[in-house]
Amino acid sequence: MTSLELEALLGLLGGARHIVIGTDFASRPDGNRIAAAWGGVVLTTVAWPETAASWLRQARRFAAPEPDAWVVSATPAGWAGMARRLQLSTSWSPHRTFATSALAGYPLPGLRGARADSTTWETR
């Protein structure tokens, strides 16, 4: 993640007071950078494997705190199963979720994020 991307991602969070950060195992360093740079409360950080039997345990931990916003740093392969489980089994909303550049264009309406050059994106 570039510094410009991190700055743009934090800007997208706007007036959020508390967030939950989620990462696949490959993206943990970026999740740590986001947590360190965030000026508000991080309710929890959840990491998940790229492949799992169901991701149910991680999805429940990710969605349960009901934050102002969820922040995701993951590869498309690492996010695919988790996103599917979140949609099927929790009250999570992609409309309150912000992601890093790796997920730009991910086919999930409402998901927003920042690119490496600081521009932002939203899936419609």
Side-chain angles (χ1 to χ4, degrees):
M1 171 180 358
T2 67
S3 296
L4 291 173
E5 180 180 355
L6 178 60
E7 185 177 323
L9 184 62
L10 295 174
L12 285 172
L13 294 172
R17 294 163 296 156
H18 41 77
I19 63 173
V20 167
I21 298 172
T23 71
D24 58 12
F25 290 163
S27 305
R28 275 183 173 173
D30 288 342
N32 292 339
R33 283 188 66 201
I34 295 164
W38 173 244
V41 175
V42 177
L43 296 175
T44 192
T45 300
V46 178
W48 56 83
E50 198 169 284
T51 58
S54 78
W55 293 277
L56 183 58
R57 183 173 42 98
Q58 294 94 337
R60 286 181 176 160
R61 284 189 54 230
F62 186 71
E66 287 294 324
D68 291 332
W70 286 283
V71 181
V72 176
S73 180
T75 63
W79 176 238
M82 180 67 164
R84 190 170 33 259
R85 176 51 68 188
L86 285 164
Q87 289 179 296
L88 292 172
S89 304
T90 72
S91 62
W92 168 80
S93 170
H95 298 280
R96 291 179 20 216
T97 304
F98 302 89
T100 56
S101 61
L103 296 179
Y106 190 87
L108 187 61
L111 186 65
R112 292 174 276 173
R115 292 185 189 92
D117 65 0
S118 81
T119 59
T120 59
W121 54 269
E122 179 175 355
T123 306
R124 297 184 188 263

